[in-house]
Amino acid sequence: MEDLLRAGDDRALELIGGDIVEKAQPSFDHGTAQAGLSHVLGGFRGGGGGPHGPGGWWLGVEVDVLYGAHDVYRHDLSGWRRERVPERPRGRPVSVRPDWVCEVVSRSNASNDRVRKLRGLHRYGVPHYWLLDPEEGTLSVLRWAEPGYLTVLVATVDETVRAEPFESIEISLPRVLDLD
């Protein structure tokens, strides 16, 4: 972890199973998907309820999260329920486990998101893990369970869905991926 932090802020690096891994350079589609999902979920930011959305979450983009001595992940999007974490997560890396994580899948780093991080996040008890793949046009929603993550939803590019833990709103994949 110390080597990771010494590398500085000018590179997007993660520590996965003790290996320092450079995150993929995001494509335009990756950035669009990340911004689109952040925008759609924006109503969950804040204290709770009201005209601007359901609230109740701290949401972050590109936040480094410390899971263990050999695991510091920089998630595309992550969220903490305010009922569990009443104060805004602070520091680099954040040392409080998120309640939800989303990775926007890039071809060059897909195995990290789909295998290595999936296993790590399960081991550390992250309740919800999403994989948004702009190239395939899919959103996979996974829920933590004892034997491994359960896939509770797979949506395609032309669908509007309600996806846990944000099922109080509809999420339009065409809107998230800026295809409408």
Side-chain angles (χ1 to χ4, degrees):
M1 183 175 72
E2 291 162 3
D3 291 339
L4 178 73
L5 296 175
R6 263 196 306 273
D9 293 333
D10 58 335
R11 294 171 56 200
L13 300 173
E14 298 180 287
L15 186 62
I16 304 175
D19 298 326
I20 294 179
V21 177
E22 189 152 12
K23 284 192 74 157
Q25 295 300 314
S27 66
F28 189 82
D29 289 341
H30 182 284
T32 297
Q34 187 175 10
L37 186 57
S38 180
H39 177 75
V40 167
L41 296 178
F44 285 92
R45 296 179 69 190
H52 302 292
W57 288 80
W58 301 107
L59 297 175
V61 175
E62 299 290 334
V63 174
D64 291 329
V65 179
L66 170 67
Y67 291 100
H70 301 287
D71 293 298
V72 178
Y73 303 162
R74 178 175 290 181
H75 300 299
D76 290 313
L77 297 124
S78 48
W80 294 259
R81 290 184 188 271
R82 287 176 180 238
E83 64 191 30
R84 187 178 69 83
V85 183
E87 298 293 322
R88 176 191 306 270
R90 299 215 184 269
R92 178 172 181 247
V94 168
S95 60
V96 178
R97 175 197 50 81
D99 295 296
W100 166 81
V101 165
C102 178
E103 295 296 353
V104 179
V105 178
S106 298
R107 284 298 129 240
S108 62
N109 264 0
S111 65
N112 285 331
D113 295 337
R114 295 184 188 278
V115 179
R116 295 181 77 192
K117 283 186 181 178
L118 179 135
R119 290 176 182 164
L121 293 173
H122 182 263
R123 185 172 55 254
Y124 295 115
V126 174
H128 301 279
Y129 185 39
W130 290 12
L131 293 163
L132 178 59
D133 190 326
E135 191 171 303
E136 289 182 3
T138 59
L139 171 65
S140 299
V141 176
L142 301 108
R143 178 190 321 131
W144 192 94
E146 184 69 35
Y149 277 109
L150 298 175
T151 301
V152 295
L153 173 74
V154 177
T156 60
V157 71
D158 58 346
E159 292 185 88
T160 297
V161 297
R162 292 185 182 270
E164 59 181 64
F166 303 108
E167 58 266 60
S168 64
I169 65 164
E170 290 187 332
I171 298 172
S172 163
L173 266 286
R175 182 171 179 197
V176 166
L177 299 174
D178 201 18
L179 301 174
D180 59 359

